[in-house]
Each structure stands twice: as C-alpha cells, then as structure tokens.
Amino acid sequence: MTWLAGAAAVAALTFDVDAESPILAQGGHYAEHLTTMSHQSYGPDVGVPRILDLLDDLEVPATFFVPGWVAEQRPGLAANIVERGHEVAHHSYSHRPPTSLTGAEERNDFERALAVFESQGITVSGHRAALWEASPQTPGLVAEHGLLYDSSLMGDDRPYLLSAGGVVELPVHWSLDDWEQYAYLPAPQIGSVIESPRKVLELWKAELDGMRFYHCLFTLCLHPFLSGRPGRLLALRELIEYAQNRGDVEFARCRDLAVRASADDSVAVRPVSPVVVDPSVYP
Amino acid sequence: MTWLAGAAAVAALTFDVDAESPILAQGGHYAEHLTTMSHQSYGPDVGVPRILDLLDDLEVPATFFVPGWVAEQRPGLAANIVERGHEVAHHSYSHRPPTSLTGAEERNDFERALAVFESQGITVSGHRAALWEASPQTPGLVAEHGLLYDSSLMGDDRPYLLSAGGVVELPVHWSLDDWEQYAYLPAPQIGSVIESPRKVLELWKAELDGMRFYHCLFTLCLHPFLSGRPGRLLALRELIEYAQNRGDVEFARCRDLAVRASADDSVAVRPVSPVVVDPSVYP
Amino acid sequence: MTWLAGAAAVAALTFDVDAESPILAQGGHYAEHLTTMSHQSYGPDVGVPRILDLLDDLEVPATFFVPGWVAEQRPGLAANIVERGHEVAHHSYSHRPPTSLTGAEERNDFERALAVFESQGITVSGHRAALWEASPQTPGLVAEHGLLYDSSLMGDDRPYLLSAGGVVELPVHWSLDDWEQYAYLPAPQIGSVIESPRKVLELWKAELDGMRFYHCLFTLCLHPFLSGRPGRLLALRELIEYAQNRGDVEFARCRDLAVRASADDSVAVRPVSPVVVDPSVYP
Amino acid sequence: MTWLAGAAAVAALTFDVDAESPILAQGGHYAEHLTTMSHQSYGPDVGVPRILDLLDDLEVPATFFVPGWVAEQRPGLAANIVERGHEVAHHSYSHRPPTSLTGAEERNDFERALAVFESQGITVSGHRAALWEASPQTPGLVAEHGLLYDSSLMGDDRPYLLSAGGVVELPVHWSLDDWEQYAYLPAPQIGSVIESPRKVLELWKAELDGMRFYHCLFTLCLHPFLSGRPGRLLALRELIEYAQNRGDVEFARCRDLAVRASADDSVAVRPVSPVVVDPSVYP
C-alpha cells in the first residue's frame, strides 16, 4: 500500500468552510435570523484565522472545502488559505445537497462553483458533495471536469477508486465529523446535544488508534463555525499532537493523497452504481 | 439452569448483516443516495471480513443474522460465514418490520428468505425479526417452519420458551445493540448522537457484569456497517477479552444455546399472546 | 424542618410499575407490537422480583406507584409488594396523562383505579399523575378522595403543601427519573439515547450530594422495565450503598414522609392555581 | 485590549429568569399543565434565592436578564436582585422570539418591558433577545432606546460593536448555555437528554481554558429553573472557584463590560446587516 508512504495511518485534516450556506439552503428566510447568521459567520471571521495559526504552529497541511457562494461573498478567503500553504477544494456552489436537486440543477451548481474558483485564480483538484449527499451523477461530474478525487462517500476507510484508473474516493464518515458532536441550533434544528471536547477527543483518538491498527485514512471533517471555538481548538491541538507523538501517522493534503492513491495498484476499485431495487419489495 | 453449562453468564455474539436493506425498507428512493448506500455497503464489504478475522483471533463463535435480500445480492457472503465456523440465521427477506406488513406479506417475506438460504445450501435454525418488530403471527411462522429459536423479544434476559416444548426465545435488548450508540444518518434519520467506543464499552461491561451477577444471556447485537469501523472493533476486542478474562463467561452460537435451553426444565415458559385491550380505555 | 428527622436529606425510592400502560396510552394498536409489549412486561415479570430482593438485601423501604389497569391485569402484584413491606400508591388507572383527558375522563380514570385497589384490599395514601402531567383539577381529586399526598409536581425539591393544612406535595424531577437516561423504543419513540449506568450513577450521586448540602427530598423515580436490567440494578445498589455510607441520608416511604411533612410548620405552602394568561400575549 | 482589564479572560455570569414565559410563548394552553408550570416556577421561587446566596458566598457579580412579564408577575423579584448588588437587564416582555413577530409586535413587546422596569424603578442598560433570536430590527431598537449593549449574537467570542461608536455586543453561544445540557420536558419538548453536572463542568472548564488562551469573553447563560437544582449549583460553585483559582479570570457585570468595551479602540466593528440572498439560489 504505497499510498500510506510507510505510515501506519494517514490523517487528512479537512475543513468545510460553509459559513451561512447550509442554513440558507434550508430556507432563504433564515437570512433574517440574525443570531443564526452570526453563528455561521463566526466560522470564516473568527474560526478560520485561528485554525490557520494552529496549523502553522503545528506545521501540518490541510484541505479546505469551500462552497463557491462563500468564496464569492468573501473574496479574499480562498486565496488566503492557499497562500498559507493549504489546499482549497470544491464544495458545491450553494451547499444544497445533490439528492435534493434535479440533474440540471446539480450540474449548474457544480459548474458555477468551478467558475468562481477560476475567476479567483484558485486551482481545485477535488470535490466534496454538500451534506455528503452525492447523487448518482455526482461521480460523473467530478470525472468530466477533470478533478482527481471526490471526498463524499463511505464505502471504505481507505482510499478507493470509483472506476479503474478514474476518480479517487477519499472516504469520510459521520464519526469523524464535528457536526454530530457540536452542532446545535433551534431553528433550523441542526443537532440536539452539545458534547464536551473531552468526549470528542476520546472518540477521535479511539478511531485514530483503530486506523493505525487497520492502516486507514483518517479523514477528519471540521467546520470553522463549530471547531473554531476556543475549547474545541485546544482539543484539536491536543489531537494533532497526539497523532504526531505516535510517530506513525502522516498528515497530508487531499490532493497529494489522491495522486499517491492513483499510482497505487493495491487500491481497491469499488463500483458506485446505485443498488437496483425491485419496487415490489422496496416501494 | 443447565443452559448456562456452569458459566455465570453466556455471551451470544450476534451480527445483523443488514447492508442496504433497513434503509431501502424506509423508501426505495434511497437507492439514489450514494453516500447513504456506501455507508451501508461498508458493512459486508469492509466490516464483515474484519469481524471474521477478529473472531478467529480470539477464538469465539458467533451468529450472523442475514436478510435474504442481502444474501441474494452478495452470493458468497453467507457461505463464507459458515465456512469460517459461524452460524447464519434468518433475518427476514427485506428487513421490512413485520408490524408494518399484512399477514400475507409477512409470510411471503419470511418464506422467501428461507428459499434463498435453501438455494445457497445454508441451513438456518433460528430467526430474528427485522427491526425487532415481531408481529403476533411471527412466533407461529418460526414454529411452523421448524426453526428452533427466535431472537427478537425482550420479555426476559434469560432464554425462555414461547410455549411448552416449543420455540426457544433468546432475548435481545436495546441496551445491547450498537445501533442506539453509533448510528447516524441525516436521511433517513436513524440516530442523533454518535457515542465514543469508550462509553459503549463501559455500558456493555456494566451489563455483562450485571448478567454475571444475575446469571443471564448476554445477547450482543452488532451491525457490521456500524461496529466494523476501526475504533469500534478495538473496543469490541477489548470487550471480548474482558469477558474471557473473567473466567466465568461462555461464548456460544445461538443454535447451540437453543438446543441447551430446550433441554433445560428450569427454563421459563412466557406466553407471547398480545395483551387484550379494551378500546374504550386504549383507543 | 422536622420532616427531615435529623437527616441531611431524605431519599424516597419510588418505582412506577407501568408495564404496558404508557405504551398502550399512545395507541391501542401497540398491543400488536410483540417486542414492545415484551419490553414492557419485563418490568413486572423480571424487574420487580429483583428489585424486591435488592430492597430486602439493603433493608430500605420504597413506594410503588401502580396504575390500576396494571394491578388488575396481574392480580397478585400489588399485594405482594405490600407483603414485602413496601407502600403501593395510586398512579392513575390507564396511564393516560390528565392533560390529555376531559375533566370527566380524568375523574373516571382516577376513581376506577381507587376501585381496583379497594377490591384488592390495598390501602393507598398518595397519588402520582400519569406522565407527571397533572391537570388543574388533579390536586382537588387527591384531596377529595382523602389521600395524604401527591407526587407529580416540581415546584420545589422539599415537601410542600398545596394548600394550608391540605395535601402534601412530594416533588419529583426529570433529572431523578430513569426514563430520560435509559428509555428507548423505535415505535412509539420514547427516547433517543441509552446512557451508561455509570453516567446515571454520577448524575444521581451529584444530585444526592447537592440535596445533602441544601437539605432536600431525593425522590428517585425508577421503572422496573428500565431499571430492572442487570447492569442498572448493580448501579442502583451502588447508589443506595453510597447514600447509606454517607451516614446522613434517611430512606422513607412516601406515606410516612407525608405524615411528617403535614406535622411540620416549616413546610412551605405553594399555591397550585394555574398561571392566568392574557391571550393577547400568549394565544 | 483594555476591555480585558489585564485578565486573560473575563467571565460574565448571566441568569435568564424566564420562569413560565418560554413555555407560554409556545402556547397559552400550557398554563393548564400543572407540572410544567411548577417546573418553571421553581426558577424564581427556589433557584434565584439559592443563586443569590451562592454569588454572595463567592463574592462575584452577575447580570440577570428578566422578561418584563416575569417582573410584573413577581413584583419584588427584580428589585431584590438589584439590592443584592447585581444587574437586571431587558429580556423582552413575553419571551416570544423576535423572529416570530411582526415589526410592530416586536417593538410593542420591547417597549412594554421597558415600561415595566421603569414602573419598578429598575434601570436597565442592556438587552438580550428572547431565545437569542434577534431580528434585523432588534439592534436598532436597542440603540434607539439608549441601551449600551445587546447580548444575543454569536459573531465573535469577544465584545464587538454593532456599528462604529454604537451598541456593544456581548456575544453568547449555545455551548455556554445550560439549556442544551439540562432542559427536558415532554410537552412542549424542550430537550432530549439530561446531562450530568460533571459533564457540564468538564465542557465549561474546557471552554474557559480555551478562552483564557485566546483572551475571550466567557458569557455563561444559566436558567434558575435548570441550574437552580442542588447538584447543578454545586457544579456551578466548583466552576466559579476553578476560575477564581486560575488567577487570571475577572468576573464582571455586563453593564460594566459594555462601558469598558465602548472605550476600547481595539474592539472590532462587525456589521449586523442580514446576508443578501438571491432567491433563485436560496428560495
């Protein structure tokens, strides 16, 4: 498994810089909810600068998935992330999940994000579906537009190919996402319990150790509006230091990982064609 | 209590290899949700091989409840489990809960699963209702088709008989199921909080110790798409080793337990006839 | 505060022996859900005998709130509890919450339960509303039928009087109820997370210690179908032993506490008249 | 950053004395739910006196946000808080969230609360929106009525200005609110899990330590009907003592903080104008 480059596990730190987009995707009228909007703008305004400093401090690279709409609203945001040595990747235009869109709407949204990044001089090499809700046509859009990888599926915990020689999947998982641990809003409801950073650290350390045992890809997904809070950042710092102190975990940008996985013959091909369903069994 | 065979408690490790079926049972359109489908296929594709290796390592037998539809979709799956020394049992055809079906639909679904296993040369001796939602006719179907046991009810925490000399019930419980601890999906919603494997280990150790005190059957129910994740597998390993180190816990396949319980006169008979309800009190 | 009888805090262990009633109150059709019914019958069948043994072992008295319908379905149940030295009290007939009934329905349900207990030769001295959902007429029904106390409200954490010289309230609280910690059912949904007995013990010890500091009534409310499980019973045993080892906690039946509180001039009178609401502010 | 007055972090202890108001705001008919009403009245009746004693003991000042309706229903309440050395601030009249009201209704509710405080001789200097659900016109109402500060938004974790020279925002956050940790009611549903005070202490200590690292404002929001419970008060005592023992945390009233922040040129101006939304993207 050359994609591991000799490590027991590889950690891909990824940040979804969603800002207001996932809330507005649930209804444009939430723009009038001032507290909710401020809860979201905290991400790029307060969280991202602290995260960039933390990554500098610990000398680890990361990948930032940015919706095109967010990049458009905050013109310097994506460029600044790139300047600091990190990767910016495609995270839809509007953060509306592909499973809620028609084929034409998804294509339009996908291409509109590419146009934003092109206009800002940002090269993107990979894609993550909004809400991790890829549709049957999503992998085809990724391939058609020449991107190297997708990071929205959960069919393995190691990189895999969506077709022989084709797009690399860098899989995610709900248990390595900060949303289920930290998110709370009364309207729209986006979570019910706010966990302690100590519990979250325990959960992620357990998964990291399991992944060192099984030689996996630890794709951590963090949202600056959630993990940018002070106590959570200290826990993230502790997690990264824990991984560094193990001595067998490598940190890598998604783009670099995709290149390595593409060149590794041991990487599995897993078909993504949707299950064929008999409507008399599953209406 | 000869069913205990001298142990303080008996542990039945059971794995429900549901794959996509419980999601499709909530709507065939979920076949178009690629991420959700990949979240489910992880179970048979990645989780089951690791679980089989873990059981080998620790030399413990287990029982795998497989929906007929899943066995059909993945032809070698059930046979491989049997070859590795474990039991395969009946877990409906489609994973639609009997309480949501008409009598004819439930019978049809029940018998279709039997036909799949017969066509694959797999002998099944027991049954577990989909979603643990047995209907008033479920026990009769189990008896009529000559199965030894059911494992869907919660009327005790020791084996019991559903009628004198008849079907053995090997009871389950929500607290010994990984679903309530680990499951999360945004659509369909199947859970709200993702717990740390450390918490789950604490919960299950507490129940195991209680069961050693009260001499019970520790029926652990795990789903490969959930418990097949790296960190959770390490916790499962620790749980099994904890039980082994106690020195008074036996691990057994459900089929073997059912035979022992059938031959044990001390096993209680608990009627399963539904409560008779006065509609003027409970409309 | 003579009701404390010199203790720092008094513990009232109370068990709500609801069996199937709270589920059937959500729809009579749940009688056809075999697993759910067995989950509920576990309470009187398996949980109650173990609880009675545990109370014997530790020599602590308790109060069992039993719906009339449950006492009727299981004729020896209430009498057995009394024979073991504990108190049986009124917990509605059908476990339908008074806030969901008309005045006539509530009265009928209330009196039907009294008739059941009378026919079984059980003397009841107190009442607890189903689901702790007292209506504005509930306290009047308690007083009219000569009961000493109610245990459904949360206006204090010490006994109080619902009117001068009248009914004693022995208050409860959601944080001292096992339902929010342990209950889970998919249909009807009665909870979302199953906590570890270790967490629950931590929560209840913290509240007990707080109540020793502030001199309160620790009214613990347990359901045999939940707390009758092996691991949870060991935690309950540990909690009782913890309280006993403090040396300043007394265990008392509700009836005895009500008598003491009635005779204590320091006990507060808290009016229960509902808030008067201006419909132009709160429609 | 002179607003810090040399401390590493400043702690603003705030108590929202909501009593019955947030429940009645969900439907006037809840006035007939006796248990729920008693659950809420516990706040001013039992919780507030204990909280005032605790603050005296530890010699820390606090700010109490009181809905006008609550102040009206309990005439001596606000005055007593002021006499004990704390600040009383504006928390709407009825606790209906501004996002659910028309502009005229919000203004009317806002001004009615001011009139109540004026009639009771209470000077208020700041405002917190009901449910932290500020509307686009809320900041303007705060400025128009000459208040110094608002405490409803989440755009930062340090004080900020809503316009140059204008209203100071003292931001809050869901993770520093006791509601998400402790609140539970079956009807209306206001929460699902009741956490242990030990977990909550762990969460808040983690955030306090993070805020000492990043130099932030620790705005803790507690509800007397929740945090007034015995075990939770002991945890609050421990948290305050923990902060005091760090030696670098200052406790301050919101009014005093607002004055300091107004005079500090380093405080950021963050616009509150709502996001402009393209309805073809976000309908």
Side-chain angles (χ1 to χ4, degrees):
Chain A
M1 298 193 290
T2 59
W3 71 268
L4 280 165
V10 176
L13 297 180
T14 71
F15 296 91
D16 288 8
V17 190
D18 294 343
E20 300 86 358
S21 65
I23 304 304
L24 295 175
Q26 295 200 40
H29 68 282
Y30 285 119
E32 306 284 305
H33 287 224
L34 243 64
T35 302
T36 297
M37 288 298 105
S38 69
H39 180 256
Q40 300 305 122
S41 64
Y42 178 97
D45 292 350
V46 180
V48 168
R50 282 188 192 152
I51 288 164
L52 290 171
D53 288 348
L54 174 63
L55 297 173
D56 269 2
D57 258 25
L58 301 177
E59 299 181 7
V60 287
T63 305
F64 289 73
F65 291 88
V66 184
W69 182 87
V70 173
E72 213 172 50
Q73 293 269 320
R74 293 166 169 87
L77 179 67
N80 183 37
I81 291 167
V82 172
E83 279 158 27
R84 297 286 286 264
H86 305 288
E87 176 186 354
V88 165
H90 184 314
H91 191 34
S92 83
Y93 176 75
S94 62
H95 212 280
R96 288 173 298 170
T99 49
S100 74
L101 303 176
T102 65
E105 286 170 336
E106 182 184 0
R107 172 176 290 276
N108 184 273
D109 189 270
F110 191 98
E111 295 178 348
R112 190 167 177 183
L114 287 177
V116 170
F117 290 117
E118 194 171 34
S119 77
Q120 299 192 350
I122 309 281
T123 307
V124 298
S125 310
H127 168 265
R128 175 171 285 168
L131 279 185
W132 298 348
E133 282 284 24
S135 85
Q137 78 167 350
T138 307
L141 284 170
V142 174
E144 174 187 336
H145 291 86
L147 302 183
L148 293 177
Y149 71 90
D150 177 76
S151 183
S152 321
L153 302 178
M154 307 188 180
D156 204 327
D157 42 33
R158 294 154 298 194
Y160 60 102
L161 296 174
L162 297 183
S163 63
V167 169
V168 174
E169 179 62 37
L170 301 175
V172 292
H173 192 257
W174 305 113
S175 63
L176 292 176
D177 181 21
D178 61 355
W179 193 288
E180 291 69 36
Q181 305 300 324
Y182 292 142
Y184 176 87
L185 272 183
Q189 290 197 333
I190 64 167
S192 56
V193 174
I194 299 175
E195 297 288 20
S196 152
R198 194 90 345 231
K199 179 252 171 156
V200 178
L201 195 54
E202 179 185 288
L203 170 68
W204 291 343
K205 277 184 182 172
E207 193 67 357
L208 179 66
D209 285 337
M211 289 185 146
R212 292 168 56 232
F213 186 88
Y214 284 108
H215 304 313
C216 306
L217 173 59
F218 181 83
T219 312
L220 191 66
C221 178
L222 305 175
H223 297 77
F225 76 88
L226 296 170
S227 284
R229 300 280 314 169
R232 296 165 185 172
L233 278 178
L234 291 196
L236 174 61
R237 178 181 288 269
E238 192 174 331
L239 177 70
I240 294 173
E241 288 174 341
Y242 176 82
Q244 289 177 325
N245 291 336
R246 298 285 76 66
D248 57 6
V249 178
E250 193 215 358
F251 287 83
R253 278 175 219 86
C254 289
R255 180 190 288 145
D256 302 329
L257 264 170
V259 170
R260 271 149 58 175
S262 285
D264 183 347
D265 290 342
S266 78
V267 165
V269 180
R270 298 200 177 279
V272 297
S273 47
V275 175
V276 177
V277 158
D278 174 353
S280 74
V281 178
Y282 298 123
Chain B
M1 298 193 291
T2 60
W3 72 268
L4 279 165
V10 175
L13 297 180
T14 71
F15 296 90
D16 288 7
V17 190
D18 293 344
E20 300 87 357
S21 65
I23 305 303
L24 296 175
Q26 295 199 41
H29 68 282
Y30 285 118
E32 306 283 307
H33 287 223
L34 243 65
T35 303
T36 298
M37 288 298 105
S38 70
H39 180 257
Q40 300 305 121
S41 65
Y42 179 97
D45 292 351
V46 180
V48 168
R50 282 188 192 152
I51 289 164
L52 290 171
D53 287 348
L54 174 63
L55 296 173
D56 268 2
D57 259 24
L58 301 178
E59 298 182 7
V60 287
T63 305
F64 290 74
F65 292 88
V66 185
W69 182 87
V70 174
E72 215 172 49
Q73 294 270 320
R74 291 165 170 89
L77 179 67
N80 184 37
I81 291 167
V82 171
E83 280 158 25
R84 297 287 285 263
H86 305 289
E87 177 186 355
V88 166
H90 185 313
H91 191 35
S92 84
Y93 176 74
S94 63
H95 212 281
R96 288 173 298 171
T99 48
S100 74
L101 303 176
T102 65
E105 286 171 337
E106 182 183 0
R107 171 176 292 275
N108 184 273
D109 189 270
F110 192 99
E111 295 178 347
R112 191 167 175 183
L114 287 177
V116 171
F117 290 117
E118 194 170 34
S119 77
Q120 299 192 351
I122 309 282
T123 308
V124 298
S125 311
H127 167 266
R128 174 171 287 169
L131 280 185
W132 297 348
E133 282 283 25
S135 85
Q137 79 167 350
T138 308
L141 284 169
V142 174
E144 175 188 334
H145 291 88
L147 302 183
L148 293 176
Y149 70 91
D150 176 77
S151 182
S152 320
L153 302 178
M154 306 188 180
D156 204 328
D157 42 34
R158 295 154 296 193
Y160 59 101
L161 296 174
L162 296 183
S163 63
V167 168
V168 174
E169 178 63 36
L170 300 174
V172 291
H173 192 257
W174 304 114
S175 63
L176 293 176
D177 182 21
D178 61 355
W179 194 287
E180 291 69 35
Q181 305 300 323
Y182 292 143
Y184 176 86
L185 273 183
Q189 290 197 332
I190 64 168
S192 56
V193 175
I194 299 175
E195 297 287 22
S196 152
R198 195 83 354 224
K199 180 253 174 155
V200 179
L201 194 55
E202 179 186 287
L203 169 68
W204 291 344
K205 277 184 181 172
E207 192 68 357
L208 179 66
D209 285 337
M211 288 185 146
R212 292 169 55 233
F213 186 88
Y214 284 108
H215 304 313
C216 305
L217 173 59
F218 181 83
T219 312
L220 192 67
C221 177
L222 304 176
H223 297 77
F225 76 89
L226 295 170
S227 284
R229 300 281 313 171
R232 296 166 185 170
L233 278 178
L234 291 196
L236 174 61
R237 179 182 289 269
E238 193 175 331
L239 177 70
I240 294 173
E241 288 174 342
Y242 177 82
Q244 289 176 326
N245 291 336
R246 297 286 75 67
D248 56 7
V249 178
E250 194 216 357
F251 287 84
R253 278 174 219 87
C254 288
R255 180 190 286 145
D256 303 330
L257 264 170
V259 171
R260 271 150 57 177
S262 286
D264 183 345
D265 290 342
S266 77
V267 165
V269 181
R270 297 200 177 279
V272 296
S273 45
V275 175
V276 178
V277 158
D278 174 353
S280 75
V281 177
Y282 298 122
Chain C
M1 300 193 290
T2 60
W3 72 268
L4 279 165
V10 175
L13 297 179
T14 72
F15 296 91
D16 287 8
V17 190
D18 294 344
E20 300 87 357
S21 65
I23 304 303
L24 296 174
Q26 295 199 41
H29 69 282
Y30 285 119
E32 305 284 306
H33 287 224
L34 244 64
T35 303
T36 298
M37 289 297 104
S38 69
H39 180 257
Q40 300 305 120
S41 65
Y42 179 97
D45 292 352
V46 179
V48 168
R50 283 188 192 152
I51 288 163
L52 291 171
D53 288 349
L54 174 63
L55 297 173
D56 269 3
D57 259 24
L58 300 177
E59 298 182 7
V60 286
T63 304
F64 290 74
F65 291 88
V66 185
W69 182 86
V70 174
E72 211 172 52
Q73 293 270 321
R74 292 167 169 88
L77 178 68
N80 183 37
I81 291 167
V82 171
E83 280 157 25
R84 297 287 285 263
H86 305 288
E87 177 185 354
V88 166
H90 185 313
H91 191 35
S92 84
Y93 176 75
S94 63
H95 212 280
R96 288 173 297 170
T99 48
S100 74
L101 302 177
T102 65
E105 286 171 336
E106 183 184 359
R107 170 176 292 276
N108 184 274
D109 189 271
F110 192 99
E111 294 178 347
R112 191 166 175 184
L114 287 177
V116 171
F117 289 117
E118 193 169 36
S119 77
Q120 299 191 352
I122 309 282
T123 307
V124 298
S125 310
H127 168 265
R128 174 171 287 168
L131 281 185
W132 296 349
E133 281 283 25
S135 84
Q137 78 167 350
T138 308
L141 284 169
V142 174
E144 173 188 336
H145 291 87
L147 302 183
L148 293 176
Y149 71 90
D150 177 76
S151 182
S152 320
L153 302 179
M154 306 188 179
D156 204 329
D157 43 32
R158 294 154 296 193
Y160 59 101
L161 297 175
L162 297 184
S163 62
V167 169
V168 174
E169 179 63 37
L170 301 174
V172 291
H173 192 258
W174 304 113
S175 63
L176 293 175
D177 182 20
D178 61 355
W179 194 286
E180 290 70 35
Q181 305 300 323
Y182 291 143
Y184 176 87
L185 273 182
Q189 290 197 332
I190 64 168
S192 56
V193 175
I194 298 175
E195 297 286 22
S196 152
R198 194 89 347 230
K199 180 252 172 156
V200 179
L201 195 54
E202 179 185 287
L203 169 68
W204 291 343
K205 277 183 181 173
E207 191 69 357
L208 180 65
D209 286 337
M211 289 186 145
R212 292 169 55 234
F213 185 89
Y214 284 107
H215 305 313
C216 306
L217 173 59
F218 182 82
T219 312
L220 191 66
C221 177
L222 305 175
H223 296 78
F225 76 88
L226 295 170
S227 284
R229 301 280 314 171
R232 296 166 185 172
L233 278 177
L234 292 196
L236 175 61
R237 178 182 290 268
E238 193 175 330
L239 176 70
I240 295 173
E241 288 173 342
Y242 176 82
Q244 289 176 327
N245 291 336
R246 298 285 75 69
D248 56 7
V249 179
E250 194 216 358
F251 287 84
R253 278 174 218 87
C254 289
R255 180 190 286 144
D256 303 329
L257 264 170
V259 170
R260 271 151 56 177
S262 287
D264 183 345
D265 290 342
S266 77
V267 165
V269 180
R270 297 201 178 279
V272 296
S273 47
V275 175
V276 177
V277 158
D278 173 354
S280 76
V281 177
Y282 297 122
Chain D
M1 297 193 291
T2 59
W3 72 269
L4 280 165
V10 175
L13 297 180
T14 71
F15 296 91
D16 288 7
V17 189
D18 294 344
E20 299 86 357
S21 65
I23 304 303
L24 295 175
Q26 294 200 40
H29 68 282
Y30 285 119
E32 306 283 307
H33 286 224
L34 244 65
T35 302
T36 297
M37 289 297 105
S38 70
H39 180 256
Q40 300 305 120
S41 64
Y42 179 96
D45 292 351
V46 180
V48 168
R50 283 187 192 154
I51 288 164
L52 290 171
D53 288 349
L54 174 63
L55 296 174
D56 269 2
D57 258 24
L58 300 177
E59 298 182 7
V60 286
T63 305
F64 290 74
F65 292 88
V66 185
W69 182 86
V70 174
E72 212 171 52
Q73 293 269 320
R74 292 167 169 88
L77 179 67
N80 183 36
I81 291 168
V82 171
E83 280 158 25
R84 297 287 285 265
H86 306 289
E87 176 186 354
V88 165
H90 185 313
H91 191 34
S92 83
Y93 176 75
S94 64
H95 212 279
R96 288 174 297 171
T99 49
S100 75
L101 302 177
T102 65
E105 286 170 337
E106 183 185 0
R107 172 176 290 277
N108 184 274
D109 189 271
F110 192 98
E111 294 178 348
R112 190 166 177 184
L114 287 177
V116 171
F117 290 117
E118 193 170 35
S119 77
Q120 298 191 353
I122 309 283
T123 306
V124 298
S125 311
H127 167 264
R128 174 171 287 168
L131 280 185
W132 296 348
E133 282 283 24
S135 84
Q137 78 167 352
T138 308
L141 283 169
V142 173
E144 173 188 337
H145 291 86
L147 302 183
L148 293 176
Y149 71 90
D150 177 76
S151 183
S152 320
L153 302 178
M154 308 189 179
D156 204 328
D157 42 34
R158 294 155 297 194
Y160 59 102
L161 296 175
L162 298 183
S163 63
V167 168
V168 174
E169 179 62 37
L170 301 174
V172 291
H173 193 258
W174 304 112
S175 64
L176 293 176
D177 181 21
D178 61 355
W179 194 287
E180 290 70 35
Q181 305 300 322
Y182 291 142
Y184 176 87
L185 272 183
Q189 289 197 334
I190 64 167
S192 56
V193 175
I194 299 175
E195 297 287 22
S196 152
R198 193 88 348 230
K199 179 249 172 159
V200 179
L201 195 54
E202 179 185 288
L203 170 68
W204 291 344
K205 276 184 182 174
E207 192 68 357
L208 180 65
D209 285 337
M211 288 185 146
R212 292 169 55 234
F213 185 89
Y214 285 107
H215 305 313
C216 306
L217 172 60
F218 182 82
T219 312
L220 191 66
C221 177
L222 305 175
H223 297 79
F225 76 89
L226 295 170
S227 284
R229 300 282 313 171
R232 296 166 185 173
L233 278 177
L234 292 196
L236 174 60
R237 177 181 290 269
E238 194 174 330
L239 177 69
I240 295 173
E241 288 174 342
Y242 176 82
Q244 289 177 326
N245 291 337
R246 298 286 74 68
D248 57 6
V249 179
E250 193 216 359
F251 286 84
R253 278 175 218 85
C254 289
R255 180 190 288 144
D256 302 329
L257 265 170
V259 170
R260 272 150 56 176
S262 286
D264 183 346
D265 290 341
S266 77
V267 165
V269 181
R270 296 199 177 280
V272 297
S273 48
V275 175
V276 177
V277 158
D278 173 354
S280 75
V281 177
Y282 297 123

